[in-house]
């Protein structure tokens, strides 16, 4: 019922204000297939993740889409959506020219791993926006345990924390080129 009323409100809003268009919201339950939902989403869409831990077995890649991956937060505004790489997989990657319109918000990126660079997140030729995200206990064998930025990548981070990440250089973050 709530989704129907929201849809009606969006349609009505569109009748009166044609200068903006709202994207669709896709809901993903804990351990649902985030990557498949991204594949079905379009530019301007939001992917709403439920509170809880998602065991990541395949790196999450927005594929250059301008979308929002939105976690759930508690009453204090702390993220309760955990993307956990289990110490065996990189959690996030942006390498398809993502801009500030690709948004990650209210997420814990935890236990990501890569033998080379960017255990938690890898950015190449991309500059996404991250808001209220926590990078915890990610590791890389060489550079940027929490996050690695390369080839003119310049992500915008607001209210993000880096705790317990490790790498040979740049445990929290490593910026290159």
């Amino acid at each position: 019922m709530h989704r129907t009323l929201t849809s009606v409100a969006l349609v009505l809003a569109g009748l009166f204000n044609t200068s903006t268009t709202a994207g669709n919201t896709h809901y993903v339950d804990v351990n649902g297939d985030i990557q498949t939902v991204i594949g079905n989403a379009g530019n301007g869409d939001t992917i709403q993740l439920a509170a809880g831990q998602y065991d990541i077995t395949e790196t999450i890649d927005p594929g250059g889409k301008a979308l929002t991956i939105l976690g759930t937060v508690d009453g204090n505004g702390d993220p309760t959506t955990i993307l956990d790489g289990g110490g065996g997989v990189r959690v996030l990657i942006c390498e398809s020219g993502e801009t500030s319109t690709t948004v990650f918000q209210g997420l814990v990126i935890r236990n990501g791993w890569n033998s080379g660079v960017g255990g938690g997140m890898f950015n190449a030729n991309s500059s996404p926006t991250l808001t209220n995200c926590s990078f915890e206990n990610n590791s890389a064998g060489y550079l940027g345990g929490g996050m690695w930025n390369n080839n003119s990548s310049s992500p915008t981070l607001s209210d993000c924390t880096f705790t317990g990440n490790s790498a040979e250089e740049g445990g929290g973050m490593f910026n290159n080129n």
Side-chain angles (χ1 to χ4, degrees):
M1 181 82 165
H2 179 266
R3 290 182 188 160
T4 302
L5 292 175
T6 301
S7 297
V8 170
L10 291 173
V11 168
L12 289 174
L15 292 174
F16 299 107
N17 182 1
T18 58
S19 64
T20 61
T21 57
N24 295 313
T25 299
H26 308 268
Y27 297 90
V28 182
D29 292 327
V30 173
N31 279 331
D33 190 343
I34 298 168
Q35 194 61 51
T36 296
V37 174
I38 290 170
N40 292 326
N43 287 323
D45 285 359
T46 297
I47 298 170
Q48 175 67 62
L49 305 178
Q53 179 173 308
Y54 293 75
D55 297 321
I56 305 304
T57 58
E58 176 186 348
T59 302
I60 297 169
D61 182 356
K65 292 182 180 180
L67 50 80
T68 298
I69 298 177
L70 182 62
T72 303
V73 296
D74 65 16
N76 295 322
D78 296 324
T80 58
T81 301
I82 302 164
L83 304 178
D84 193 306
V89 65
R90 175 185 289 135
V91 177
L92 301 172
I93 189 167
C94 288
E95 62 179 354
S96 301
E98 286 85 355
T99 67
S100 62
T101 59
T102 300
V103 177
F104 299 91
Q105 183 174 334
L107 302 169
V108 176
I109 296 102
R110 180 169 74 188
N111 296 326
W113 178 85
N114 187 271
S115 62
V117 297
M121 185 172 195
F122 173 102
N123 294 306
N125 298 309
S126 298
S127 299
T129 299
L130 292 96
T131 302
N132 193 23
C133 290
S134 178
F135 289 80
E136 302 174 358
N137 303 319
N138 298 288
S139 61
Y142 187 51
L143 304 170
M147 180 185 288
W148 185 71
N149 300 305
N150 192 34
N151 295 336
S152 301
S153 293
S154 184
T156 300
L157 284 74
S158 291
D159 298 319
C160 293
T161 60
F162 290 77
T163 307
N165 300 287
S166 62
E168 188 174 311
E169 294 182 45
M173 181 187 298
F174 191 91
N175 299 307
N176 188 46
N177 297 325

